[in-house]
Amino acid sequence: MKKNKILIVCILLSIFLLTGCWDSMSIDRRAFVLGLGIDKYIFDETKDEPSLNTHWTKYRIAFSIPNISKFAGEQGLTDEPKFVLVSTGPTFSNTYKGVGGRLNKVPYFGHVKSIVFGSELLKDKVLFKEVLDTLQRNSEFSRSIPIVAIDGAADEAIKAVPQSNPLLSIYINQLIESNKSETLQFKKKDLGELLQNFQEDKMTMIPKLTVGEKDIKIAGAAIIKDYELKGWLDERETRGALWIQKRNQRFEVSAPYEDFHVAYHVSNAKSKIKFGNKEDELSCHIDIQAEGNLDEFILDKSILSTKEIKKVEEAIAKVIKDEVLNSLKILQEKYQADVIGLGKELERQHPKEWLKVKDNWEEVFEHLPISVNVNIFIRRVGQSK
Amino acid sequence: MFSKNDKVSIRQVEILLILDLTSTSVLSFPRTAAEIANQDAWIILIGATLLAFLFGYIITRVTKRFPGDTFVEISSKVLSKPVGILLSILFLGKLSITMAMELRIFGELVKQVLLPRTPIEVIMASMLLICSYLVRKGYECKARLGEILIFIIFIPLVIILLFVLPDTDFSNLKPFLTTPLPQLLKGSYFLAFLYTPMEFILMAGPLINNPKKAGRITFTAIGFVGVLNVVLAIITIGVLGAMGTRQQIWPVMTLMQIIEIPGAFVERQDVLMMIFWILSVFSFISTLMYFISFIITRILKADEHCFLVLPLVPVLYLISLIPDNIVEAFNWIEFLVKYFRILFLLPIPLLILIVARLRKLGESIEEK
């Protein structure tokens, strides 16, 4: 009997003593930050408080928090789909912790869906490094968050409301996910990959975000070298660079043929990079191979002859080759930025050669003779002959 | 088997050893390996595993030669009593510091990732208390728990690793073998510290119900853990790249953040990895605690280890709080690894074996 009593006391005690812990927090006390727009703070006399004009305010960060009760279909107090807070502060962490003073909930970053970097931040080497360090050190930020860059202010982008999904950060995430193997306009870059690029190659490309009136677009890329923005690639230039990098893609190419344009759907493309070394001069050869269908051809003209197909194939190949050469030229001459990973490929294929050129790879890359060969195969031509 | 509470079967020892071997540094060892050999890290892990087979072979030879004796008695018999006691105390000290540091790192990681507002003292104290509860119940009880834990830990772990595979870029492993051979050998020797828990076998002699088959233990356990380690290293470097692996304190945790389990609602898979890690650390810390109390029992020639467990708790707890921060704790472990790692794995067992053979002690090699 006595034993039973002790047991009961133990059970009761555990009920009272073991409920919750220091870290217990109910879910409605948390503000789930879905998107971050990080930018350098630039004092604007017309709008900002004069007290902000010190060297202590260096960041301007926009946080996008969804109105959960609206999405749950409850009658909330407001009708806004999301709230955007813009905060400033001396360090990145200080800024985002500082939001706590303005928010009735605890900000939580485990569900961040995308991060937008403003162009001013990307131009500032020190600040950008600080941001990347925080994102890497803090375990709340997942390494699979997609990163985009905007040529403008990041908080403006976060405030934008795309029509089909007012939550911009989720919209960006979905857009990138559903297009990642269907387009050559951009290449998905997530936080982990970004950090890895900087550590290994010192340079990278970040997809470029453009915000319109009621929609957004991700196309093109920012070239970042040694934590500093060097410039932007437009859509066509990005395409050319991505032909070399991407694999197993599906996308469209159009090429002028006779008086018309023909459309070609690539169902599988691959590129091979080879290096030659003649008389101590390094050269590079890129072999691109693509196969796919001819989607559009010329009405009333028969394509059912091998000769005709060869001619169309050549026309398409020429367009692609031009695109690739154009991008390579820009990367080599304008930016000296090997964002397509030729250096890495050289290291993997010829580690000894790489050791020789490793220290002045930028110069070597600038003058590296690169030849491009494109092979196109048309496998199917559609229903009409 | 259930009635006598301190004999375990060979299979159970294998399981316990596998648990202990994985827990020590499963979250961080790819970093150490990548620091030494970049993308060739997995090669030095193979080397380390081969080296561990050698350790295992020698240690089990010692145990087989003196069935029913622990390290304390063996060393006293073979190397004279004072030397034996001295070595045992050294062994005891090493285990205690290892355990305290393991506990500290456990606390730091849990605080950082899971419970940022809970005081680290509470995290560590609760771990210690629950371990001491298990240890008081004896080795057999631990073994039975191990038999349950191993399925909870390894089956989900393997499934999760499968989900990482699509993200793995095996070209990150190129170029092969650029690290010079001496560096590879040095790295293998260094990384053999992953297999330090092998030394428990020195103590486990009287606990195994069939010591003659002890050789099998090391073979299975090291083989299993070796394969797991090599695979983990390959995957980590494949996903994070050699440089990225070097940058992370806990690369395997980072790995877990990257994967996306299709259809799962869990956003932070790193927590899953934490669960498995906590379970195996629990197993490891309690094993250490068991052997610490067991050595003391044997040195004092006491009958039972139960009454020793609770007094140990505050001592170990205090040791674990000595380092100021995690960097210092890592330095302590590095110190241990540098000077004591190999001691009980190779030189001392080998010495015992040679001296025992010369003095014709123990059961001489009977296999003929």
Side-chain angles (χ1 to χ4, degrees):
Chain A
M1 242 1 247
K2 200 181 166 201
K3 230 181 186 174
N4 279 350
K5 269 181 197 159
I6 294 176
L7 198 67
I8 287 172
V9 169
C10 283
I11 290 172
L12 282 178
L13 266 182
S14 65
I15 287 174
F16 289 114
L17 290 180
L18 295 181
T19 47
C21 57
W22 278 266
D23 286 280
S24 75
M25 177 174 301
S26 44
I27 196 158
D28 58 334
R29 297 271 307 111
R30 270 192 167 156
F32 295 99
V33 177
L34 281 187
L36 279 175
I38 307 170
D39 213 336
K40 185 181 178 177
Y41 178 76
I42 289 169
F43 184 69
D44 182 352
E45 272 183 41
T46 51
K47 281 187 253 166
D48 295 340
E49 268 182 61
S51 66
L52 287 175
N53 193 8
T54 60
H55 66 282
W56 283 108
T57 31
K58 290 198 303 203
Y59 289 98
R60 185 183 177 86
I61 301 180
F63 303 84
S64 150
I65 298 160
N67 185 353
I68 299 279
S69 55
K70 183 171 163 70
F71 288 98
E74 288 166 20
Q75 209 68 35
L77 292 172
T78 53
D79 230 14
E80 295 285 314
K82 66 175 176 188
F83 314 114
V84 176
L85 286 172
V86 180
S87 176
T88 55
T91 59
F92 176 64
S93 334
N94 232 317
T95 314
Y96 82 67
K97 296 263 160 65
V99 173
R102 300 167 47 195
L103 207 59
N104 59 349
K105 294 175 181 178
V106 182
Y108 177 69
F109 295 90
H111 291 280
V112 173
K113 288 288 177 206
S114 58
I115 297 179
V116 182
F117 287 139
S119 54
E120 289 302 320
L121 176 85
L122 295 177
K123 280 176 196 157
D124 194 316
K125 197 172 171 176
V126 178
L127 290 196
F128 188 43
K129 270 183 120 165
E130 280 178 17
V131 169
L132 288 181
D133 184 73
T134 324
L135 293 176
Q136 182 181 27
R137 204 167 288 280
N138 189 323
S139 65
E140 261 182 30
F141 294 102
S142 154
R143 292 177 64 101
S144 51
I145 305 173
I147 304 281
V148 288
I150 183 171
D151 192 4
D155 55 320
E156 294 303 319
I158 292 288
K159 282 176 190 156
V161 183
Q163 258 173 333
S164 59
N165 187 346
L167 296 173
L168 176 96
S169 350
I170 294 185
Y171 192 82
I172 292 177
N173 194 305
Q174 289 169 345
L175 191 154
I176 289 177
E177 276 311 314
S178 55
N179 285 317
K180 93 179 157 187
S181 59
E182 303 280 330
T183 176
L184 268 190
Q185 289 180 328
F186 64 84
K187 185 179 185 208
K188 181 193 175 188
K189 186 73 60 172
D190 57 33
L191 183 59
E193 213 185 327
L194 185 75
L195 293 167
Q196 192 185 341
N197 282 162
F198 278 127
Q199 282 152 7
E200 287 177 359
D201 318 327
K202 303 237 172 350
M203 52 190 89
T204 187
M205 285 201 287
I206 301 180
K208 178 183 176 187
L209 169 79
T210 319
V211 178
E213 193 88 337
K214 278 189 170 160
D215 64 341
I216 59 161
K217 182 167 111 172
I218 298 181
I223 300 282
I224 296 175
K225 217 165 96 180
D226 207 10
Y227 304 98
E228 216 175 343
L229 180 68
K230 285 287 167 213
W232 303 85
L233 289 187
D234 70 16
E235 237 167 276
R236 185 160 174 268
E237 291 159 359
T238 317
R239 269 174 82 105
L242 290 184
W243 267 107
I244 304 166
Q245 269 196 310
K246 280 192 156 187
R247 284 181 181 102
N248 302 323
Q249 297 290 303
R250 260 179 249 113
F251 47 83
E252 317 300 327
V253 181
S254 50
Y257 181 68
E258 292 180 0
D259 295 337
F260 300 84
H261 269 78
V262 294
Y264 174 65
H265 172 83
V266 179
S267 59
N268 192 0
K270 45 187 168 186
S271 67
K272 239 191 207 148
I273 302 172
K274 279 188 207 133
F275 293 93
N277 196 349
K278 264 187 204 149
E279 288 149 21
D280 255 7
E281 204 192 308
L282 203 63
S283 66
C284 175
H285 180 75
I286 299 172
D287 222 346
I288 295 173
Q289 226 180 60
E291 57 174 26
N293 323 338
L294 197 62
D295 276 355
E296 284 174 31
F297 191 59
I298 302 162
L299 194 68
D300 297 340
K301 194 172 158 93
S302 171
I303 178 121
L304 291 185
S305 84
T306 333
K307 226 191 239 166
E308 193 73 27
I309 290 203
K310 266 268 141 12
K311 266 159 85 185
V312 181
E313 282 176 352
E314 269 161 29
I316 298 168
K318 189 175 174 301
V319 171
I320 296 171
K321 190 174 170 178
D322 285 348
E323 232 172 49
V324 174
L325 283 176
N326 176 42
S327 307
L328 282 173
K329 199 174 144 202
I330 288 173
L331 288 177
Q332 283 184 295
E333 286 168 15
K334 197 167 163 197
Y335 299 124
Q336 294 97 45
D338 170 29
V339 284
I340 42 180
L342 290 186
K344 211 176 203 173
E345 203 56 43
L346 179 64
E347 185 187 357
R348 280 171 188 173
Q349 291 178 13
H350 307 281
K352 280 180 195 148
E353 291 292 322
W354 170 246
L355 283 181
K356 278 188 226 157
V357 294
K358 192 176 153 191
D359 296 323
N360 51 352
W361 175 240
E362 260 174 53
E363 285 160 41
V364 176
F365 176 71
E366 191 185 347
H367 303 292
L368 183 71
I370 304 179
S371 56
V372 177
N373 181 30
V374 183
N375 276 319
I376 294 292
F377 299 101
I378 294 175
R379 302 285 190 210
R380 277 157 291 271
V381 292
Q383 288 207 17
S384 60
K385 61 174 198 170
Chain B
M1 196 203 302
F2 283 66
S3 53
K4 43 178 182 168
N5 220 3
D6 261 341
K7 287 275 183 195
V8 295
S9 67
I10 292 283
R11 200 174 76 92
Q12 285 172 319
V13 184
E14 269 165 30
I15 288 173
L16 282 174
L17 205 59
I18 288 176
L19 283 174
D20 295 338
L21 284 171
T22 41
S23 62
T24 359
S25 44
V26 70
L27 291 183
S28 64
F29 78 86
R31 167 175 54 100
T32 329
E35 273 166 4
I36 299 171
N38 287 331
Q39 65 279 3
D40 289 332
W42 57 281
I43 298 173
I44 61 177
L45 276 163
I46 293 179
T49 312
L50 293 180
L51 211 55
F53 277 121
L54 175 70
F55 299 157
Y57 176 71
I58 289 170
I59 289 174
T60 40
R61 281 294 288 275
V62 174
T63 332
K64 269 165 139 178
R65 205 176 172 99
F66 299 94
D69 284 344
T70 66
F71 179 73
V72 183
E73 286 101 37
I74 299 172
S75 54
S76 308
K77 266 188 211 165
V78 178
L79 305 170
S80 82
K81 197 148 187 192
V83 179
I85 298 287
L86 195 74
L87 279 179
S88 309
I89 289 175
L90 196 66
F91 196 29
L92 175 72
K94 176 186 181 261
L95 288 186
S96 312
I97 294 178
T98 312
M99 175 186 166
M101 289 309 114
E102 199 70 26
L103 184 68
R104 176 62 182 265
I105 284 178
F106 163 79
E108 295 284 354
L109 190 56
V110 169
K111 187 171 167 68
Q112 190 191 323
V113 180
L114 292 178
L115 308 168
R117 284 192 259 180
T118 311
I120 187 166
E121 292 83 358
V122 175
I123 300 172
M124 279 158 49
S126 37
M127 185 62 158
L128 256 180
L129 287 175
I130 200 157
C131 284
S132 57
Y133 175 65
L134 176 63
V135 169
R136 276 177 65 94
K137 297 291 172 196
Y139 201 63
E140 218 262 313
C141 189
K142 249 194 73 52
R144 269 183 275 146
L145 184 71
E147 278 178 306
I148 302 172
L149 284 186
I150 192 153
F151 292 109
I152 303 181
I153 295 172
F154 285 101
I155 292 176
L157 187 67
V158 170
I159 293 175
I160 286 187
L161 284 183
L162 287 181
F163 283 115
V164 188
L165 278 181
D167 283 317
T168 316
D169 179 6
F170 287 105
S171 58
N172 274 339
L173 294 174
K174 282 200 238 166
F176 294 119
L177 280 175
T178 40
T179 327
L181 190 66
Q183 180 85 357
L184 284 180
L185 292 177
K186 229 172 90 187
S188 305
Y189 167 74
F190 183 78
L191 270 184
F193 83 85
L194 281 175
Y195 300 93
T196 0
M198 288 303 309
E199 64 203 13
F200 293 152
I201 297 297
L202 281 177
M203 291 297 302
L207 304 173
I208 307 172
N209 64 5
N210 194 355
K212 291 272 170 271
K213 284 188 186 157
R216 219 188 84 194
I217 301 174
T218 50
F219 190 75
T220 336
I222 297 179
F224 182 89
V225 177
V227 170
L228 185 80
N229 282 352
V230 173
V231 169
L232 256 180
I234 289 178
I235 290 182
T236 317
I237 289 172
V239 175
L240 299 174
M243 281 297 275
T245 311
R246 294 168 64 159
Q247 203 80 24
Q248 302 293 322
I249 296 188
W250 286 295
V252 180
M253 283 273 293
T254 314
L255 193 72
M256 292 296 133
Q257 290 184 356
I258 287 174
I259 58 167
E260 277 164 34
I261 300 176
F265 54 90
V266 191
E267 289 250 337
R268 305 267 313 273
Q269 296 92 346
D270 45 333
V271 173
L272 289 178
M273 189 69 199
M274 280 298 289
I275 296 172
F276 312 137
W277 186 73
I278 288 175
L279 286 174
S280 58
V281 166
F282 167 60
S283 161
F284 183 55
I285 292 184
S286 55
T287 311
L288 278 168
M289 202 164 175
Y290 180 80
F291 283 116
I292 291 169
S293 60
F294 195 54
I295 294 180
I296 302 179
T297 328
R298 288 291 169 140
I299 292 176
L300 298 178
K301 295 203 162 45
D303 290 334
E304 264 202 343
H305 72 284
C306 279
F307 70 98
L308 272 167
V309 177
L310 277 177
L312 272 177
V313 169
V315 178
L316 292 167
Y317 175 72
L318 286 178
I319 300 179
S320 69
L321 284 179
I322 295 176
D324 282 336
N325 51 36
I326 190 152
V327 180
E328 213 165 292
F330 274 127
N331 286 348
W332 278 50
I333 289 190
E334 206 167 284
F335 174 80
L336 274 184
V337 163
K338 243 187 203 152
Y339 299 103
F340 290 101
R341 160 190 39 141
I342 199 80
L343 206 55
F344 292 95
L345 284 178
L346 195 61
I348 293 180
L350 199 62
L351 184 72
I352 288 177
L353 211 58
I354 291 169
V355 176
R357 175 166 276 188
L358 291 179
R359 293 178 56 189
K360 298 205 167 50
L361 286 171
E363 294 179 19
S364 52
I365 299 312
E366 43 322 89
E367 289 101 353
K368 277 174 213 162

